[in-house]
């Protein structure tokens, strides 16, 4: 795949799997904040806010959105951004210290394609419904939101995304620089229109769309969806944070960008859903903005969805290439990209299964990402005390202290599995039915606790005692590995070059 930039010896630090030195870092506080805002102001933020409106009115929704996103974003920033920023490490390279080399490969091979397929299908279906609603407004007709026209347009979105990415990501940077500011303006315009046509009293009095009879259960469901929104950033933030100039600049922009921007966009989605009576952003754009402005907004959302599909597929495709190595590298880039988009294309034939059940998809996100967040935090901060042996991350299995057992760390894998099972027992993502304890604990909080406690216990009582994983004090050559970016801004260790 000649389009893979990581194979170019002259490539910039942002594309290499090797540690990024301090002199190669490109983002300070404000630049990384703008990146975070651009990532957060995406069209799915409106859909997330609309999904929360299913269970909560305006006041409850705002409280749940703030609590859930703040906790989720802070934990994700701690678990992914600080290790990557400290050492300049690609996130999935750093995760070898948690799961082992083969454990990370399994994680990438299973988790990333499933997650990518779900998000791409949601964006493609939103593209289809957005364009369909514009056509309906233009010709004075109505289309079935799950009918053949929507399906055909969804497939068109997938095809357009493939066409752009198969030719290489050369235009992504300037396109994303356009999309983020326009989406930000669109968010503010929609908020102004909402507040201009509906008083705060009207918004506060609006009833949830499909609430349970139990207010406590409604609040727990809204908080849980917000938790999942915060945790959903886990897959990508470390790879962005490695390009920041300090750990402080890696952490705080998440609070301003991911948290702040998501809360504002989510609130707009919630208010609009409550007023119009639908959680689908493609439905409420025209009623709120009028035919002309609403149609333009929908068309831009359709365009923005394609750029989002291309961006996330490119990033996660590179992760798969790095994990699989020569086997995947032999596949021609256009064919490889087509394989990445195929699951989303298949899922687009049933819009009502995924898009109309978006809140259930978010529960699956929480089930996967909450335990992964917990195990990484526990390993890096508690068990390793914020120290990684960089050279050992690049040594082969059997040589590296992070080899564990044939490249797998069973303690981390068991802990994550137990955390996911805990989540499932409290909240079933398939049916969204919950246990009694969910009303008071949510599902993510117990999942986090179970994962953290079990990983710490298994590591101390089993893995460390077996001399696996490098949990003891470093000795010999390993002890000389630079402890942080300030010390590491020299020459890379020989084993890393």
């Amino acid at each position: 795949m000649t389009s893979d930039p990581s194979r170019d010896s002259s490539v910039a630090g942002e594309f290499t799997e090797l540690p990024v030195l301090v002199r190669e870092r490109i983002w300070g506080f404000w630049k990384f904040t703008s990146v975070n805002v651009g990532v957060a102001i995406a069209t799915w933020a409106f859909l997330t806010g609309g999904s929360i409106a299913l269970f909560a009115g305006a006041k409850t929704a705002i409280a749940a959105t703030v609590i859930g996103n703040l906790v989720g974003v802070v934990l994700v920033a701690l678990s992914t951004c600080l290790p990557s920023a400290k050492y300049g490490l690609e996130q999935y390279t750093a995760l070898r210290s948690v799961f082992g080399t083969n454990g990370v490969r399994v994680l990438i091979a299973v988790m990333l394609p499933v997650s990518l397929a779900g998000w791409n299908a949601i964006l493609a279906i939103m593209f289809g419904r957005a364009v369909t609603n514009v056509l309906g407004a233009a010709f004075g007709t109505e289309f079935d939101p799950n009918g053949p026209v929507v399906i055909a347009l969804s497939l068109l979105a997938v095809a357009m995304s493939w066409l752009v990415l198969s030719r290489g990501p050369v235009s992504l940077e300037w396109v994303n620089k356009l999309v983020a500011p326009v989406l930000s303006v669109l968010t503010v315009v929609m908020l102004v229109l909402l507040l201009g046509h509906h008083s705060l009293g009207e918004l506060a009095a609006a009833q949830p769309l499909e609430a349970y009879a139990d207010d406590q259960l409604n609040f727990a469901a809204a908080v849980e969806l917000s938790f999942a929104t915060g945790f959903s950033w886990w897959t990508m933030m470390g790879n962005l944070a490695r390009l920041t100039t300090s750990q402080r600049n890696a952490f705080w922009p998440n609070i301003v960008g991911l948290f702040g921007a998501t809360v504002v966009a989510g609130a707009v989605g919630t208010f609009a859903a409550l007023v119009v009576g639908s959680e689908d952003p493609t439905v409420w754009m025209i009623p709120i903005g009028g035919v002309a402005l609403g149609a333009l907004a929908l068309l831009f959302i359709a365009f923005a969805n394609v750029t989002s599909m291309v961006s996330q597929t490119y990033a996660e495709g590179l992760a798969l290439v790095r994990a699989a190595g020569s086997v995947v590298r032999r596949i021609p880039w256009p064919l490889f990209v087509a394989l990445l988009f195929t699951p989303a294309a298949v899922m687009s034939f049933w819009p009502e299964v995924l898009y109309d059940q978006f809140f259930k998809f978010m529960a699956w996100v929480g089930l996967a990402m909450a335990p992964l967040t917990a195990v990484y935090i526990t390993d890096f901060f508690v068990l390793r005390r914020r120290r990684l042996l960089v050279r050992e991350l690049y040594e082969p299995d059997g040589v590296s202290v992070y080899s564990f057992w044939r490249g797998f760390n069973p303690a981390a894998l068991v802990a994550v599995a137990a955390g996911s099972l805990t989540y499932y027992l409290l909240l079933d993502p398939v049916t969204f039915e919950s246990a009694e304890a969910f009303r008071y604990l949510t599902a993510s909080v117990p999942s986090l606790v179970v994962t953290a406690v079990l990983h710490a216990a298994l590591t101390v009582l089993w893995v460390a005692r077996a001399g696996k994983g490098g949990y003891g004090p470093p000795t010999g050559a390993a002890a000389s590995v630079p402890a942080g970016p300030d010390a590491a801004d020299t020459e890379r260790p020989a084993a890393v070059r």
Side-chain angles (χ1 to χ4, degrees):
M1 289 183 292
T2 57
S3 295
D4 178 5
S6 65
R7 303 180 67 180
D8 184 351
S9 60
S10 63
V11 76
E14 56 263 39
F15 291 120
T16 179
E17 186 182 0
L18 304 179
V20 180
L21 304 181
V22 168
R23 62 176 176 268
E24 298 171 336
R25 313 282 180 95
I26 59 175
W27 290 333
F29 175 84
W30 290 112
K31 285 188 177 180
F32 194 43
T33 297
S34 66
V35 169
N36 275 269
V37 171
V39 169
I41 295 289
T43 52
W44 53 64
F46 298 133
L47 187 56
T48 301
S51 296
I52 291 175
L54 294 172
F55 306 98
K59 292 181 180 179
T60 303
I62 291 175
T65 300
V66 170
I67 293 170
N69 276 279
L70 183 60
V71 171
V73 167
V74 167
L75 294 180
V76 165
L78 289 172
S79 67
T80 65
C81 293
L82 294 191
S84 290
K86 181 176 182 179
Y87 294 102
L89 288 169
E90 193 267 340
Q91 179 171 328
Y92 295 94
T93 299
L95 281 170
R96 294 170 184 171
S97 66
V98 182
F99 296 102
T101 304
N102 290 330
V104 171
R105 286 174 178 156
V106 171
L107 180 69
I108 292 175
V110 174
M111 183 191 68
L112 289 190
V114 173
S115 172
L116 184 64
W119 284 114
N120 276 346
I122 287 168
L123 291 171
I125 295 167
M126 188 185 292
F127 174 98
R129 290 192 176 180
V131 177
T132 300
N133 285 333
V134 172
L135 294 175
F139 296 104
T141 186
E142 291 186 7
F143 294 94
D144 182 353
N146 300 314
V149 176
V150 170
I151 294 172
L153 289 169
S154 300
L155 294 175
L156 176 62
V158 174
M160 291 170 59
S161 301
W162 171 82
L163 183 62
V164 172
L165 188 52
S166 66
R167 297 174 179 272
V170 293
S171 61
L172 283 182
E173 184 175 357
W174 72 264
V175 169
N176 287 330
K177 285 181 179 179
L178 168 67
V179 170
V182 175
L183 277 176
S184 300
V185 171
L186 176 62
T187 300
V188 173
V189 169
M190 287 296 168
L191 182 59
V192 171
L193 290 174
L194 279 167
L195 296 177
H197 291 89
H198 304 276
S199 67
L200 293 176
E202 289 181 78
L203 292 174
Q207 296 299 305
L209 305 183
E210 297 179 13
Y212 298 110
D214 186 337
D215 289 341
Q216 181 67 32
L217 183 58
N218 288 322
F219 182 70
V223 170
E224 186 57 53
L225 290 176
S226 298
F227 277 147
T229 302
F231 290 134
S232 68
W233 303 114
W234 187 90
T235 59
M236 61 183 294
M237 292 313 299
N239 283 351
L240 297 178
R242 70 194 293 238
L243 301 175
T244 57
T245 55
S246 69
Q247 294 178 72
R248 181 177 299 173
N249 290 339
F251 178 81
W252 289 108
N254 292 273
I255 309 303
V256 179
L258 293 187
F259 169 69
T262 299
V263 167
V264 173
V268 171
T270 298
F271 295 161
L274 292 172
V275 170
V276 176
S278 172
E279 75 275 18
D280 186 351
T282 66
V283 171
W284 51 256
M285 285 287 181
I286 290 177
I288 291 175
V291 174
L293 179 59
L296 286 175
L298 285 174
L299 288 175
F300 183 79
I301 281 180
F303 169 75
N305 280 6
V306 170
T307 64
S308 295
M309 292 168 66
V310 171
S311 298
Q312 67 185 14
T313 303
Y314 177 66
E316 297 192 14
L318 285 184
L320 285 168
V321 169
R322 289 165 179 165
S326 59
V327 175
V328 171
R329 288 178 187 270
R330 286 194 290 267
I331 303 174
W333 178 252
L335 176 58
F336 178 66
V337 172
L339 292 174
L340 292 178
F341 279 118
T342 296
V346 173
M347 296 167 72
S348 297
F349 280 93
W350 297 275
E352 70 280 3
V353 173
L354 185 64
Y355 190 83
D356 290 338
Q357 304 292 319
F358 178 72
F359 62 97
K360 293 181 180 179
F361 173 75
M362 291 305 294
W364 282 109
V365 170
L367 180 144
M369 300 305 169
L372 288 171
T373 302
V375 77
Y376 200 0
I377 284 181
T378 305
D379 200 88
F380 183 70
F381 285 93
V382 178
L383 299 172
R384 300 196 185 278
R385 299 181 182 180
R386 300 181 63 195
R387 180 179 178 85
L388 296 177
L389 305 177
V390 176
R391 181 181 291 112
E392 298 295 325
L393 293 170
Y394 296 87
E395 295 285 7
D397 286 333
V399 177
S400 171
V401 298
Y402 301 132
S403 297
F404 297 99
W405 285 271
R406 297 187 178 183
F408 291 96
N409 180 9
L413 296 172
V414 168
V416 169
S420 296
L421 178 60
T422 301
Y423 190 106
Y424 179 83
L425 293 175
L426 289 166
L427 179 64
D428 184 347
V430 177
T431 63
F432 216 72
E433 294 179 356
S434 59
E436 178 66 19
F438 175 78
R439 298 171 66 249
Y440 307 99
L441 302 175
T442 71
S444 288
V445 172
S447 175
L448 289 164
V449 173
V450 168
T451 303
V453 171
L454 187 57
H455 180 58
L458 289 175
T459 300
V460 171
L461 298 177
W462 175 27
V463 179
R465 287 187 178 184
K468 303 290 186 178
Y471 287 101
T475 58
S480 65
V481 176
D486 293 336
D489 193 15
T490 56
E491 186 178 352
R492 292 187 178 92
V496 178
R497 292 200 293 270

